[in-house]
Amino acid sequence: MSQLVIGLSGGIGSGKTTVSDLFAAFGIDVIDADLIARQVVEPGTLALSAIVEKLGSQVLNQQGELNRTQLRQLVFSDPSIKEWLNQLLHPLIRQQMKSQTLAAKSSYCILSMPLLVENKLTHMVDRVLIVDVSETTQLQRTVLRDKSNVEQISAIMSAQASRAERLAVADEVIENDGQASDLSEKVGQLHSYYMQLAARRNKVID
Ligand code: ADP
């Protein structure tokens, strides 16, 4: 069991996945809240049945999976649906995040939570690591990655927490406006630091 849980967050396109891949390359277990959010509504889950019961089979695609575009439209037209969905899904997601962090085997683990600040989840982690970039870089990289347009990505960015709000809860910050190659060195330094912290914790606990 990892004694130390690092919450990793940052805005859309800031570089969270790139950073968590680098931690994983050091053998660190990475738990991904986005992946869990998809798993809890996979076909056959109780949560998906509850959603179909409430909103009808219009929310399913032909394969019987959740049709996210359709769901987004329903949520957009009726905010009470969003509230209902959050009450159904957030506890399930949190439970999974908790059990996966408890099952982690590396000296410390990374819990990647894009909405850590928005959903006020700092209590779930021991330290917060924020990937920070300028809005210009964030917009450019996300538009390129998602083959999307500037308006769509700007709308997502303004619905998310601001840089200042994220930095206010950060214990460590990775500044990612530079080259991707700079990132491995920065992650390497943080990895050594977190290994030391984890070793110290283990000593106290032993
Ligand atoms: P997130 O997971 O936070 O949404 P990603 O890790 O997917 O962000 O990064 C967004 C995009 O920017 C990806 O296409 C990624 O390859 C690219 N990227 C990340 N860091 C850098 C960097 N330092 N330089 C150039 N491109 C980068």
Side-chain angles (χ1 to χ4, degrees), residues 30-184:
V30 175
I31 297 128
D32 179 349
D34 267 357
L35 186 65
I36 292 175
R38 288 194 294 274
Q39 288 167 344
V40 297
V41 291
E42 271 172 2
T45 56
L46 286 173
L48 186 59
S49 309
I51 294 171
V52 173
E53 197 173 310
K54 169 108 177 153
L55 304 172
S57 52
Q58 57 172 337
V59 294
L60 297 179
N61 65 19
Q62 296 207 322
Q63 287 72 48
E65 296 157 343
L66 192 60
N67 180 339
R68 286 168 191 284
T69 315
Q70 175 70 13
L71 189 66
R72 254 196 302 274
Q73 278 164 9
L74 287 171
V75 164
F76 189 69
S77 62
D78 181 353
S80 72
I81 295 181
K82 184 175 181 183
E83 191 53 35
W84 179 84
L85 274 174
N86 285 346
Q87 280 186 16
L88 173 75
L89 300 178
H90 283 183
L92 293 173
I93 295 168
R94 256 175 258 156
Q95 210 173 48
Q96 268 302 314
M97 291 197 298
K98 200 148 213 172
S99 63
Q100 291 191 21
T101 49
L102 285 173
K105 297 251 181 326
S106 50
S107 304
Y108 67 93
C109 68
I110 299 280
L111 177 53
S112 176
M113 294 190 282
L115 300 179
L116 179 142
V117 174
E118 291 82 346
N119 291 341
K120 301 184 174 56
L121 295 172
T122 46
H123 64 276
M124 294 198 67
V125 299
D126 297 303
R127 300 188 75 79
V128 174
L129 169 60
I130 295 293
V131 187
D132 183 53
V133 283
S134 67
E135 279 97 357
T136 318
T137 308
Q138 191 183 1
L139 191 60
Q140 275 170 356
R141 287 185 187 154
T142 314
V143 166
L144 201 68
R145 182 194 64 186
D146 296 352
K147 298 175 187 60
S148 201
N149 63 50
V150 169
E151 288 72 28
Q152 272 172 317
I153 303 304
S154 301
I156 296 173
M157 281 169 57
S158 45
Q160 292 188 339
S162 66
R163 280 177 84 185
E165 284 168 326
R166 281 194 205 94
L167 292 175
V169 300
D171 293 295
E172 282 80 44
V173 177
I174 291 191
E175 193 276 305
N176 187 25
D177 275 297
Q179 306 287 317
S181 53
D182 297 344
L183 274 181
S184 15

